[in-house]
Amino acid sequence: MDDTSDRLETQDEEVAADAGTDPETFLSLLPHFYRGSVSQAVSAQDRLDRTTDWAITLIAALLSVVFASEDMPAYLLLIGLILLAMFLFFEVRRYRFYDVWRSRVRFVQENTFANAFDPAGIEHHPNWREEIADDLRQPTFKVSYLEALSRRVRRVYALLFIVVGVAWVSKITLFTPEAQWTEAAELPGIPGLAVATVIALFYIAVLLVAFWPGKREAKGEIHDVEPGQWKETDDERQ
């Protein structure tokens, strides 16, 4: 039994080694890897989009309820801010997983297909096969949590937060004319001025996160931004 297992393990190693050393065999395997990575990226992006769709649907429904009657309290919109923040943190996690697959697809495009279309081109990563092999053995996120958070806030959630913020200000001023705005903004046991101060600090934090001047790590050259590295190296982590 041990001899049979040893022979099978040896054959498995030889098959993999042959596929890696023979160009024809390797090129026949590459499209399958590429299609699989694209499929995973599309699936991850679909999950990401569904989170955004739910967040937009939630805000639309909340605005309809709050402005349906003058008796509806303004603090419901603050609950909407909390729920938006929850959706945002879910989406950041999904975005980081999506970026893993997207980066692999982009990496293969850059180092194989680009050179196939232009044989005179220079590979950006001469050891790209080793890089992909290492990432397949030990997958890592290619983008930091802070960068992913900043990108999702800047591209999607900043606008949603602004819509809710404008709606809250309108609710405590224009749509509650019989009361002072400080009274309309009150929460049980919390003065309206304190509530407004906390909300203002929250929006300042949103702006800081959205325009955080950190170095871009996500792989890609879109939006006139210099591309980052493929992934952090052990030396960079230290």
Side-chain angles (χ1 to χ4, degrees):
M1 181 66 68
D2 293 339
D3 293 339
T4 302
S5 299
D6 292 340
R7 286 197 300 271
L8 289 175
E9 291 177 0
T10 301
Q11 290 175 358
D12 291 340
E13 293 175 357
E14 291 176 352
V15 168
D18 290 342
T21 55
D22 181 56
E24 184 176 352
T25 304
F26 175 76
L27 291 177
S28 67
L29 290 176
L30 185 60
H32 299 289
F33 171 75
Y34 180 74
R35 283 195 296 268
S37 297
V38 170
S39 177
Q40 291 284 359
V42 171
S43 176
Q45 186 173 20
D46 180 64
R47 295 183 64 208
L48 189 67
D49 292 341
R50 274 183 285 168
T51 307
T52 304
D53 291 341
W54 275 107
I56 295 174
T57 302
L58 168 70
I59 296 306
L62 187 61
L63 292 176
S64 299
V65 171
V66 171
F67 288 98
S69 171
E70 291 184 359
D71 297 331
M72 298 303 294
Y75 66 77
L76 291 178
L77 292 169
L78 303 184
I79 296 175
L81 284 180
I82 296 174
L83 294 177
L84 263 184
M86 292 175 59
F87 275 108
L88 172 60
F89 286 112
F90 289 144
E91 188 160 320
V92 168
R93 182 177 181 274
R94 289 186 172 184
Y95 178 82
R96 296 185 77 195
F97 277 101
Y98 157 72
D99 187 71
V100 170
W101 298 103
R102 185 197 63 83
S103 297
R104 287 181 184 172
V105 170
R106 184 68 187 90
F107 200 64
V108 172
Q109 291 174 343
E110 182 182 22
N111 290 283
T112 57
F113 295 109
N115 289 314
F117 284 107
D118 181 15
I122 300 175
E123 292 181 348
H124 288 270
H125 297 268
N127 299 322
W128 64 271
R129 291 175 60 179
E130 289 82 354
E131 292 276 3
I132 293 179
D134 178 65
D135 193 63
L136 289 174
R137 293 187 178 101
Q138 295 181 330
T140 61
F141 289 120
K142 312 302 183 296
V143 60
S144 68
Y145 190 92
L146 180 59
E147 182 179 352
L149 177 63
S150 177
R151 291 168 69 83
R152 298 316 293 170
V153 169
R154 184 168 61 251
R155 293 185 176 183
V156 179
Y157 282 82
L159 180 58
L160 296 179
F161 284 133
I162 290 173
V163 169
V164 176
V166 171
W168 181 79
V169 172
S170 300
K171 184 65 178 178
I172 65 175
T173 55
L174 301 178
F175 290 86
T176 315
E178 69 279 0
Q180 294 289 330
W181 73 266
T182 52
E183 296 177 1
E186 287 180 355
L187 293 176
I190 304 177
L193 184 59
V195 174
T197 301
V198 172
I199 293 176
L201 293 175
F202 171 79
Y203 277 92
I204 291 174
V206 169
L207 289 176
L208 291 176
V209 170
F211 297 100
W212 187 261
K215 181 181 178 182
R216 175 188 168 94
E217 296 295 337
K219 183 69 180 172
E221 298 79 24
I222 301 178
H223 304 296
D224 298 326
V225 180
E226 289 295 328
Q229 295 297 319
W230 160 244
K231 57 188 286 190
E232 287 185 346
T233 63
D234 294 334
D235 294 338
E236 290 174 343
R237 294 193 187 99
Q238 297 174 358

